[in-house]
Amino acid sequence: MAQALTARQQNVYDFIVKTMGDHGYPPTRAEIARALGFRSPNAAEEHLRALERKGAIRIVRNTSRGIRLPAQDASVESAIDTVGNSDSASQGLPIIGEVAAGSPILAAEHIDRYCPLPAEYFTPKADYLLRVRGLSMKDVGILEGDLLAVHRTEHVRDGQIVVARIDDDVTVKRFQRQGHHVQLTAENTDFPPIDIDLRTQALDIEGVGVGVIRGGNGQALG
């Protein structure tokens, strides 16, 4: 980091890093305030601005979870700069573009290229990177043009961000389930939730989001 942090700033920074490691996305101001005993989210905001001035984080404006770690961004951007066009899995994590209706998400024709990041860069390990289209998840800091790191699993918990297939469509949303009913919720009030009755409609979970990185362009899923 460019400048030394105060003890309180270090606490905030450590909480951000832990939250991103545990959940794959940064905390909100309210979550920081609650975890660290601040009287209000405004106090958390003041610490975040101080961390940004010192080069410890980067704030993405107008999003509730818009916090980035510059060191992580730099290592990812460096890796993306060296991405080749080889179709060999040894090149790293596959970057998935558009997914054709009804076909497996990791089908060869969906892989645009590979990013030479190790799967273990994320916890749990990532199996692929999915390009993000649109702003339906902007309030958790998942923005247009980002790459969502995805861990392949069918087992998900309430509150996790998932890559879900509904009939022939693939989407990224927050997962909630009660009995036979599933709600897939956007992190943007402009988008209504998707309600699914598992007794009458097919839903397949392709994986859970384990991290977000900057990079990539063109068409994507959102």
Side-chain angles (χ1 to χ4, degrees):
M1 298 176 190
Q3 299 181 43
L5 305 182
T6 67
R8 204 56 163 154
Q9 290 165 1
Q10 186 67 52
N11 289 340
V12 174
Y13 178 82
D14 290 343
F15 180 70
I16 292 169
V17 171
K18 183 179 187 303
T19 301
M20 294 179 74
D22 290 346
H23 303 290
Y25 50 83
T28 64
R29 277 67 170 168
E31 288 167 351
I32 294 171
R34 186 163 54 249
L36 299 181
F38 298 150
R39 291 187 176 181
S40 73
N42 288 337
E45 178 68 24
E46 292 178 5
H47 285 295
L48 291 177
R49 290 179 180 177
L51 287 171
E52 185 177 45
R53 288 194 299 270
K54 291 184 174 182
I57 65 170
R58 181 166 58 84
I59 297 175
V60 181
R61 308 300 173 188
N62 302 317
T63 64
S64 65
R65 297 184 188 269
I67 302 170
R68 302 285 185 181
L69 301 180
Q72 185 180 56
D73 281 351
S75 62
V76 169
E77 288 167 3
S78 176
I80 290 172
D81 285 343
T82 65
V83 167
N85 294 318
S86 169
D87 60 0
S88 169
S90 64
Q91 293 296 310
L93 293 172
I95 298 176
I96 306 299
E98 292 288 353
V99 176
S103 63
I105 200 165
L106 281 173
E109 61 267 25
H110 302 155
I111 299 174
D112 286 349
R113 51 185 179 164
Y114 288 84
C115 178
L117 282 173
E120 292 75 19
Y121 186 87
F122 304 94
T123 303
K125 71 178 183 66
D127 293 290
Y128 59 92
L129 303 173
L130 187 66
R131 297 186 187 211
V132 175
R133 172 169 56 87
L135 295 172
S136 68
M137 300 297 287
K138 74 178 183 67
D139 288 344
V140 288
I142 303 176
L143 307 177
E144 176 92 37
D146 283 354
L147 296 173
L148 178 68
V150 183
H151 171 69
R152 293 191 75 186
T153 181
E154 297 177 355
H155 305 289
V156 298
R157 302 188 306 273
D158 282 353
Q160 287 187 304
I161 292 173
V162 303
V163 177
R165 187 187 295 271
I166 309 167
D167 298 323
D168 285 335
D169 295 324
V170 174
T171 188
V172 178
K173 296 291 184 289
R174 192 177 294 282
F175 178 92
Q176 294 286 342
R177 178 173 179 172
Q178 288 188 334
H180 296 293
H181 297 276
V182 169
Q183 186 172 81
L184 299 176
T185 306
E187 291 288 347
N188 182 339
T189 55
D190 292 337
F191 293 80
I194 301 170
D195 293 307
I196 298 164
D197 187 334
L198 297 176
R199 295 169 295 186
T200 59
Q201 192 171 9
L203 173 68
D204 294 307
I205 301 300
E206 299 279 359
V208 297
V210 294
V212 181
I213 60 178
R214 291 295 190 186
N217 48 45
Q219 296 299 308
L221 299 170

